[in-house]
Amino acid sequence: MSDRLRPTPGQTVGPFFHYALPFAGDSELVPPGRPDAIRLHGRVLDGQVAPLQDALVEIWQADPEGVVVQEPGSIHRDGWTFTGWGRAATDNTGRYSFTTLLPGATEPGAAPFFAVTVFARGLLNRLFTRAYVPGHPALVDDALLSSLDATRRQTLVAAADASGLEFDIHLQGDRETVFLTYPGH
Amino acid sequence: MTTPTLATQSAISDEIAEIAAGAVPGGQQPQLDYAPYRSSLLRHPTKDLQQVDPEGIELWAPCFGHQDVDPLEADLTIQHSGEPIGERITIAGRVVDGSSRPVAHQLVEIWQANAGGRYIHQRDQHPAPLDPNFTGAGRCLTDADGTYTFQTIKPGPYPWKNHRNAWRPAHVHFSLFGTDFTQRMITQMYFPGDPLFALDPIYQSITDQDDRDRLVATYDHDLTRPEWSTGYRWDIVLTGSHRTWMDDEDHT
C-alpha cells in the first residue's frame, strides 16, 4: 500500500528502564499458587551465551480456551481478571519468569503460542518472536514452523518442565532464536 | 585480559560516516547490527528476521484502562512535594497507525533523565545531582483522537561509556502499543537542533536522515503555556495494523 505512512523508527530501551517500566505484579498474569497457574520462564542470552541482566520480556497470549481477552487491568491487577499481557525484566542471572495460564488455540487447528517481545540495552529495536506450547498436535501443520529447518524450528518451541514451560531467548549464536518481522515493517 | 581502550569520538564518527556512505535507502530502521554502538555487538540477531503473517493473538493488542493509569501520572512535575529543577515543558502529539488512523485509548509510557542529565536509576553513576523532586517516569492513555500529553522538565544530555567522551543527546524514552501486537515499539524522542546528533551512535543507527528526523520533536508555540511551560510536538506513526477494522471499532 503506497499511501502507508513511514513508521517512526524504534530505539534501544537503554539501561535505565527499571524504575519506569516494571510494576508490581507485572509478570503475574494470574496469582502464583492458583491451581491452573503455570510458569513460563527462561533466560535471555547474548552471542557468547552470557545472560542479559538488563533485558525486558513481554508476553501477550490467549486464555486457555483460546479466547483473545480484551480486558483492561494489566497494570492494576485485581487478582481475578486474566488480561493476557505481562512484562518481566530479567534478573541478575538473565532470567525472566511469568506466572500465567497455558494459552489455547485461537481457532480450530491452530497451534497455541505466546507472542513475545524482547527489549534490551544493546538491542537497537525490539524483537518479536513466538513461544509455542510443546506437544500440541497442531505444531506439525503450523505455517511458520513448517517453513523452518529443524534446528531453527526448535528455537520457537518451549520445553515442558515441572512447573510449566521454559523458553530461552538467544539473541545470537548457534541457537539464535528465530525473530519475526511482519508485513509493513 | 587487559581492559580494551575506549575508542575516540573521531574513530566512532569515522565508523558512523562509513556505514552512512554505504547505507541503502529504505528498509527497516534502525539497523540492528550497528557496531559503533558497542553494546550491540553481541546482542543483535545475525540471521534475517523471519517474515510471517500475523495470526491469532498477534492481530490484537492488550487493553489498558483508567484503573491502570491515573491521569495525574501524565504530569512528571507533581510527583514530589516540591517543584523539579529545570525547564518546564509540555510534550504532546498523536499516535497513529500506518494508515493515519488514531491509536485511541492506548498506553504511552515515558522515562527520562533529570535536567542535569541524571537518571534516578541506581546503575547511573554520572556525578550530576539527583533531583529530590523529579523521578522521571510517567504514563498516560491516548484520547479518542490518539493524542497524548505529558507535562515534564527538559532532560539534560549525559555521558556514557560507549567510547571516550561519549554523550547522549537529550531524549525522552517512549514506550508505545498499537491496535495489534505487531505495532509494539519503544523509541526515544529528541529535541530540535541538538549538537550531539551527529556524534551519537544510537541516533545514527537510523541511517536514513528522513527517518532520523522523525524522532525529533518540533517546538510548538501553540503548546506553550503563558507564564508556565514551553511546548514540543511529537507525532508518532506505528507500523500498519493487520486487523480488518470494523466500522464501529475506530473510536471504542
Side-chain angles (χ1 to χ4, degrees):
Chain A
M1 273 186 274
S2 57
D3 60 344
R4 279 259 162 115
L5 300 176
R6 184 103 177 125
T8 305
Q11 292 269 265
T12 181
V13 72
F16 300 134
F17 59 83
H18 293 89
Y19 73 93
L21 296 181
F23 53 89
D26 55 2
S27 62
E28 294 178 359
L29 287 79
V30 296
R34 186 170 138 162
D36 54 350
I38 62 151
R39 183 181 186 211
L40 172 69
H41 69 126
R43 292 171 302 161
V44 182
L45 302 155
D46 75 9
Q48 292 178 341
V49 204
L52 270 66
Q53 301 175 2
D54 45 17
L56 186 76
V57 179
E58 291 177 354
I59 57 169
W60 171 230
Q61 63 166 105
D63 77 5
E65 282 70 51
V67 174
V68 176
V69 179
Q70 292 285 277
E71 290 286 339
S74 292
I75 295 177
H76 183 74
R77 298 200 190 275
D78 66 9
W80 295 95
T81 308
F82 181 75
T83 65
W85 182 82
R87 170 181 283 170
T90 55
D91 65 16
N92 58 14
T93 65
R95 193 165 286 279
Y96 70 90
S97 179
F98 293 96
T99 306
T100 187
L101 302 174
L102 206 58
T106 51
E107 52 195 275
F113 61 85
F114 299 86
V116 178
T117 324
V118 186
F119 306 91
R121 177 180 66 84
L123 183 57
L124 278 156
N125 205 358
R126 79 278 180 266
L127 294 172
F128 296 110
T129 189
R130 293 178 181 175
Y132 283 88
V133 175
H136 194 281
L139 288 178
V140 290
D141 295 322
D142 182 82
L144 171 60
L145 294 179
S146 304
S147 71
L148 301 168
D149 66 45
T151 311
R152 299 278 284 152
R153 188 185 309 138
Q154 203 52 41
T155 71
L156 296 181
V157 183
D161 68 11
S163 58
L165 300 174
E166 185 167 16
F167 184 70
D168 283 346
I169 298 164
H170 292 260
L171 298 181
Q172 265 187 15
D174 296 343
R175 287 179 285 170
E176 183 174 313
T177 300
V178 173
F179 296 106
L180 306 177
T181 185
Y182 303 95
H185 277 201
Chain B
M1 242 172 77
T2 54
T3 307
T5 315
L6 288 178
T8 60
Q9 178 68 57
S10 92
I12 293 289
S13 293
D14 287 349
E15 290 182 35
I16 289 172
E18 191 178 336
I19 295 169
V24 183
Q28 292 196 16
Q29 298 284 356
Q31 307 304 305
L32 295 173
D33 178 4
Y34 194 75
Y37 177 31
R38 296 295 194 241
S39 305
S40 75
L41 290 172
L42 290 170
R43 294 183 170 201
H44 68 83
T46 58
K47 298 182 170 63
D48 289 341
L49 301 179
Q50 182 76 24
Q51 180 81 226
V52 66
D53 286 323
E55 296 172 55
I57 191 73
E58 293 165 328
L59 295 168
W60 300 83
C63 289
F64 299 91
H66 292 296
Q67 70 265 57
D68 293 309
V69 183
D70 189 300
L72 294 178
E73 291 182 69
D75 189 342
L76 286 72
T77 69
I78 58 165
Q79 296 174 349
H80 302 274
S81 57
E83 290 275 347
I85 301 291
E87 290 176 59
R88 201 184 286 119
I89 60 171
T90 300
I91 304 172
R94 283 182 79 217
V95 185
V96 300
D97 72 10
S99 306
S100 306
R101 288 179 297 222
V103 176
H105 312 300
Q106 189 51 288
L107 178 65
V108 181
E109 297 161 286
I110 67 168
W111 69 103
Q112 62 170 91
N114 69 21
R118 179 85 188 264
Y119 284 88
I120 209 161
H121 197 287
Q122 61 179 4
R123 282 186 200 155
D124 186 0
Q125 297 300 312
H126 175 36
L130 286 169
D131 183 343
N133 291 314
F134 192 72
T135 301
R139 294 183 186 125
C140 77
L141 296 175
T142 57
D143 69 11
D145 191 39
T147 298
Y148 71 87
T149 305
F150 288 103
Q151 194 73 29
T152 184
I153 53 100
K154 196 172 182 181
Y158 62 83
W160 59 312
K161 291 176 179 152
N162 186 71
H163 54 280
R164 208 173 76 75
N165 207 13
W167 288 78
R168 297 283 347 268
H171 60 273
V172 177
H173 296 266
F174 271 72
S175 166
L176 301 146
F177 292 79
T179 51
D180 77 37
F181 169 77
T182 69
Q183 296 169 295
R184 177 81 180 100
M185 73 106 106
I186 285 180
T187 189
Q188 301 178 24
M189 185 211 87
Y190 300 90
F191 293 87
D194 197 313
L196 294 167
F197 283 156
L199 308 177
D200 178 41
I202 292 181
Y203 183 65
Q204 295 294 331
S205 70
I206 304 161
T207 53
D208 185 282
Q209 181 69 54
D210 286 344
D211 284 327
R212 279 199 297 275
D213 289 346
R214 289 175 220 284
L215 295 187
V216 183
T218 49
Y219 173 74
D220 185 342
H221 203 63
D222 291 334
L223 284 172
T224 292
R225 296 163 63 191
E227 319 296 326
W228 190 251
S229 60
T230 54
Y232 289 87
R233 173 165 296 281
W234 188 52
D235 295 326
I236 299 158
V237 181
L238 303 180
T239 51
S241 173
H242 296 89
R243 197 142 42 95
T244 306
W245 284 52
M246 304 298 158
D247 286 340
D248 60 354
E249 200 178 9
D250 286 71
H251 291 91
T252 54

